[in-house]
Amino acid sequence: MSAAGVVLVTGASRGLGASIARELAAGGWAVAVNYRHGADAAGAVVAGIRAAGGTAEAFPADVTDETAVAALVAAVTDRLGPVTALVANATGPQPEVAVEDLTWDDHLGQLLFFVKSPTLLVRAALPAMRAAGSGRVVLIGSDMVDRALPGWSAYVAAKAAQVGLARTWARELGPHGVTVNVVAPGWIPVERHAGVAEDDLEQYVAGVPLGRIGRPEDVAGTVRWLLSDAASFVTGERLTVNGGHTIG
């Protein structure tokens, strides 16, 4: 186990999760790189971390499944040490659905990743955090809660629910030395945005006060800070990382 401890990052084989995993490894954490699909990509993330002198291992698991989550945390504990930090980043499909076509299943598809999965993960990791007398939980949210774009009600509702979870858990787990926060990125183009038109990027950037598109490293650096000793007195907060795009 590293000096900083063991962090489990879900959905870390690519995109924001991979960037977060690399950043935390650079900060001294032993990183459990979770993935559901893409063993080769997860292996590449691990190999890169190790080549840079860090500690990491890949762990396949469906983090929306209760049995799988329990087995995942047990496996990480066995191979790296007790999990004292958790970054819930995994996500599924994010379809745009007009309200007249919206179904309860559309809502459940988003709640599965943004409410059920974090609940299962925190519950599985909590005994080790309590035993250590400290812990860090970061939920990866979205500034879509502020933007409230038409067609995204299921996604926005689930991301808003994350904020409620974090605030409530922050109060409940604070006495155990566990902080719980949300990092809410703006649009951070990663692999799944490869086909985005240049005009769309330019239109988005025009509304960003800092004048550029976000980078995965912007989010990863914020997560690293929240897991550091410097943020030990920060809990129940939602940190928006979008260059000021949603300033009121």
Side-chain angles (χ1 to χ4, degrees):
M1 185 171 64
S2 74
V6 177
V7 58
L8 169 58
V9 183
T10 67
S13 63
R14 62 176 188 164
L16 288 182
S19 183
I20 291 167
R22 288 189 286 264
E23 182 71 21
L24 295 180
W29 289 88
V31 182
V33 175
N34 161 253
Y35 67 98
R36 184 176 181 180
H37 305 292
D40 290 344
V45 173
V46 169
I49 288 172
R50 290 176 176 172
T55 300
E57 291 203 39
F59 296 85
D62 175 0
V63 293
T64 67
D65 179 88
E66 184 170 0
T67 301
V69 168
L72 168 64
V73 172
V76 174
T77 301
D78 181 60
R79 289 161 58 181
L80 292 177
V83 176
T84 54
L86 172 66
V87 181
N89 168 75
T91 185
Q94 300 166 7
E96 183 177 352
V97 183
V99 66
E100 61 266 26
D101 300 319
L102 191 65
T103 68
W104 180 233
D105 283 341
D106 291 321
H107 280 294
L108 290 177
Q110 301 307 307
L111 293 169
L112 190 67
F113 281 93
F114 305 137
V115 174
K116 181 182 180 182
S117 179
T119 299
L120 297 177
L121 290 160
V122 168
R123 198 170 66 186
L126 190 53
M129 293 183 185
R130 282 177 168 160
S134 66
R136 296 282 192 276
V137 176
V138 174
L139 310 182
I140 302 301
S142 172
D143 76 347
M144 288 283 279
V145 174
D146 306 302
R147 298 176 69 200
L149 296 179
W152 293 94
S153 52
Y155 178 80
V156 169
K159 286 297 189 181
Q162 284 185 320
V163 180
L165 290 181
R167 288 169 58 83
T168 304
W169 290 346
R171 286 189 181 274
E172 189 171 348
L173 303 182
H176 301 284
V178 178
T179 67
V180 187
N181 294 286
V182 176
V183 172
W187 187 15
I188 312 287
V190 290
E191 292 93 333
R192 61 191 176 89
H193 300 116
V196 172
E198 188 64 29
D199 287 349
D200 292 335
L201 284 172
E202 291 177 359
Q203 184 176 2
Y204 180 87
V205 169
V208 177
L210 288 180
R212 67 169 174 84
I213 199 71
R215 297 186 288 260
E217 293 79 10
D218 297 320
V219 178
T222 303
V223 174
R224 177 173 174 174
W225 178 73
L226 283 172
L227 265 60
S228 73
D229 289 341
S232 63
F233 205 54
V234 178
T235 194
E237 295 298 327
R238 176 176 178 263
L239 280 67
T240 304
V241 183
N242 68 359
H245 188 234
T246 51
I247 293 173

